[in-house]
Amino acid sequence: MNSKQSSRRRFLRAGPALAGAVVGPLATGSATPVSAQTSEAVATPDVNSRESLRYGRRSRFVTTYRPLEGGDDHMSHRLMRPMPSRPTVSTPLGESVGIITPNSLHFSTQHEYGVPDINPREHELMIHGMVDRPLVFTMEELRRLPYVSRVYYIQCTGSKATPTGRTVEATFGRTACSEWAGVPLSLLLREAGVQKGASWILAEGVDGGKHSKSVPMAKAMEDVLVAYSQNGEPVRPDNGFPLRLFVPGFEGLYSVKWLHRIKVVDKPYLTFQEQRRYLNPRANQGHFNFEQGPISIITFPSGEQQLSKRGVWMITGLAWSGMGAVRRVEVSTDGGRTWADAQLQDPVLKRAHTRFNFTWRWEGDEAMLLSRCIDELGQVQPTVEEFAKFWGVGIPQVYRTPVNYFGHANFIQPWKVLRDGSVRNGLAT
Ligand SMILES: Nc1nc2c(c(=O)[nH]1)N[C@H]1C(S)=C(S)[C@@H](COP(=O)(O)O)O[C@H]1N2
Ligand SMILES: [Mo]
């Protein structure tokens, strides 16, 4: 055994011990022998190009891309029409490591009116309505103000467990986590002087459809950001360049991109977008969905991935809650009959993706993998059965109904491991 191999074996024995599970020595032949084979270092033609030197590039052997939702070929997709709207592409969660989504791999959706091409030197943010001093900021003026940076997830309401999604991208691909930096909205609102009786803000973007969203004043003063930076670089055009609202823990649609106007008001303004698509039609729910509940997803092994052999594998995934930090994640490998704690990987941050890991010994039998998030408020992520029962409907109705109807659809997505090691969606249709 060479030294690489023995250190790998030490790690594999340590893993289960750290996870608190009892696992015997590895079955003979179950670990991949480490060979001396490495890919030949090939000088790629552009290695010294001006662009490579100035902006960097990834290895040509790394081919992770954002898959197109629906899995169609790009040019034949039904939405590739000569209009600004484009198909949704998903965060490649199945290959994710840690908690930060690279900007290039952040999902992209809901641009029915195109992605505006904004010159930051001409962009302004206006704050008006029920304020003592209406204000207009240029980007330069905003950049002179004190700013904060925070790691937060974002999740589109359309992202949820389904019985038909074949991959983790097809089900939960519209979520991502970044370090967002910008000016606290509370600072700008204090500067403008919010008048008595003002209880909401209306934020509006400059995209063609003027996407706008009403946000309660209490939230606006709590932790909302007017963000211009994402993972250390200017927010990308897809994500709202040069300026976006970021409303941590709320449904993604609150985080208005290409932000140019905040009106301080005394009631929610049900603008076209909000009224047409975002309201919860159940009047007894108050029409609005705010924070997203506790949720977790197994990213590996997930749909269409493959366990190549029996033995020790790391079940890994992401958990989050719109209401705070993740306290615990439990994993079941037997369809929910028994559960055990997964390890949370640092950092565990409020309203951010949290990585969890669970060392598992696969004996080659069929297995049903589930994960369940418990947040710091003690809220537990439901199964689809529990979710349907809570809303007093049947499971088929849960799947059929528009996503906003039942609030945040945070029920568990099971993955089924077959005897041949292939992985399938584990929800019955
Ligand atoms: N101006 C504007 N803001 C917008 C949208 C939009 O279409 N226009 N889409 C919303 C929706 S539905 C989501 S899920 C998030 C997605 O943000 P992201 O693209 O940075 O992930 O932006 C929100 N903000
Ligand atoms: Mo969304």
Side-chain angles (χ1 to χ4, degrees), residues 128-202:
H128 68 136
M130 296 173 69
V131 293
D132 296 333
R133 295 167 295 276
L135 299 171
V136 174
F137 296 92
T138 63
M139 286 304 296
E140 191 191 16
E141 285 161 351
L142 284 173
R143 295 295 285 255
R144 286 168 56 192
L145 299 173
Y147 74 93
V148 296
S149 74
R150 303 263 187 274
V151 175
Y152 289 130
Y153 83 88
I154 185 164
Q155 184 192 351
C156 175
T157 315
S159 220
K160 59 164 188 159
T162 69
T164 48
R166 282 156 48 163
T167 61
V168 66
E169 287 81 23
T171 52
F172 279 99
R174 297 191 216 166
T175 186
C177 183
S178 307
E179 184 204 49
W180 300 97
V183 183
L185 178 58
S186 59
L187 190 152
L188 302 179
L189 290 174
R190 284 204 189 89
E191 195 64 26
V194 173
Q195 289 175 349
K196 226 175 136 230
S199 50
W200 290 75
I201 63 159
L202 177 71

Side-chain angles (χ1 to χ4, degrees), residues 200 202 212-214 265 267-276 278-280 286-288:
W200 290 75
L202 177 71
S212 53
K213 190 71 194 74
S214 302
V265 291
K267 57 175 172 295
Y269 273 42
L270 302 181
T271 54
F272 169 68
Q273 296 280 352
E274 194 162 9
Q275 125 100 18
R276 183 171 67 102
Y278 303 145
L279 284 187
N280 178 337
H287 290 306
F288 286 92

Side-chain angles (χ1 to χ4, degrees), residues 209-274:
K210 294 270 188 290
H211 177 95
S212 53
K213 190 71 194 74
S214 302
V215 184
M217 182 62 76
K219 181 67 174 175
M221 294 304 260
E222 187 193 344
D223 58 0
V224 173
L225 297 181
V226 172
Y228 45 73
S229 170
Q230 177 184 6
N231 292 331
E233 67 173 8
V235 167
R236 294 261 173 122
D238 278 8
N239 306 103
F241 182 83
L243 198 64
R244 78 174 303 168
L245 202 66
F246 199 93
V247 184
F250 277 35
E251 296 181 324
L253 53 92
Y254 280 84
S255 291
V256 175
K257 304 192 276 193
W258 314 295
L259 178 71
H260 79 145
R261 186 162 82 97
I262 289 173
K263 187 170 181 181
V264 176
V265 291
D266 61 358
K267 57 175 172 295
Y269 273 42
L270 302 181
T271 54
F272 169 68
Q273 296 280 352
E274 194 162 9

